[in-house]
Amino acid sequence: MLYLVVAALIRKGNEVLLLEQQGPGDPAPSWGLPGGRVEEDELLTEALAREVREETGLEVVDPGRLLYTLQHTRPQENSQTIAFVFDVAKWEGELCIADPDHLVLCARFLPSLEAIATLEAHLPWRTMREPVVAHLRGEAPPGAVWIYRQEEFIACLNGRP
């Protein structure tokens, strides 16, 4: 099974937008970027705009550049996720959660250093945490490709980590 996912890095000055979420099977809430699965017949940028709108109330005016791509294969589960994370260039609106899945508990802009610390402490999935933290720290350039098999880090192509 192949899953396509999009996520948005949205900044307001020196602050980064993070969401606190908890899925039905999650033992505790976690923090991360807004985003989710691409629906059938949906373009990546359409999915990005929809997910951001649902989870934050914000409208993506310009999705900006592709910050990084992530491939996470799970051979034992016969599944693979490919995620496209955009560095949103322009957005508008006010934070107002309208999540139809009722998974988003909170959406907030945090100063960059606090966002990094929050992700390191409260984003339990390595494959989601490592790339975004590396980019926020300036340790990986835009356009990097992160590759994981199961939870094992394989490579960061065109990047420094």
Side-chain angles (χ1 to χ4, degrees):
M1 175 75 65
L2 176 65
Y3 301 101
L4 294 179
V5 173
V6 292
L9 179 61
I10 298 175
R11 302 171 199 255
K12 182 169 70 172
N14 190 37
E15 296 180 321
V16 175
L17 179 62
L18 295 184
L19 303 181
E20 183 181 32
Q21 309 176 75
Q22 186 167 11
D26 297 341
S30 62
W31 286 83
L33 300 175
R37 286 192 186 159
V38 177
E39 294 177 357
E40 193 172 322
D41 296 328
E42 196 172 37
L43 298 175
L44 295 175
T45 52
E46 293 169 342
L48 182 76
R50 176 185 52 77
E51 287 290 344
V52 168
R53 184 175 44 259
E54 289 175 356
E55 295 182 344
T56 70
L58 302 178
E59 292 293 330
V60 173
V61 176
D62 179 354
R65 65 182 174 192
L66 184 63
L67 186 60
Y68 62 89
T69 304
L70 165 74
Q71 179 185 18
H72 181 198
T73 63
R74 293 171 301 285
Q76 295 171 346
E77 299 169 23
N78 196 29
S79 70
Q80 180 173 189
T81 300
I82 299 177
F84 302 90
V85 180
F86 291 84
D87 192 358
V88 173
K90 186 175 181 188
W91 56 272
E92 56 188 34
E94 299 295 324
L95 290 177
C96 178
I97 299 167
D99 179 19
D101 301 319
H102 306 290
L103 304 177
V104 178
L105 307 173
C106 170
R108 289 194 291 202
F109 283 96
L110 299 173
S112 290
L113 291 177
E114 185 179 342
I116 291 168
T118 299
L119 291 168
E120 288 179 323
H122 302 289
L123 184 53
W125 301 282
R126 177 182 187 191
T127 58
M128 294 170 66
R129 180 183 62 249
E130 288 179 343
V132 69
V133 167
H135 281 278
L136 289 173
R137 285 188 174 142
E139 297 171 351
V145 178
W146 296 74
I147 301 173
Y148 293 84
R149 179 174 289 118
Q150 291 300 113
E151 295 300 316
E152 178 188 356
F153 174 70
I154 303 298
C156 178
L157 307 176
N158 298 322
R160 291 185 274 280

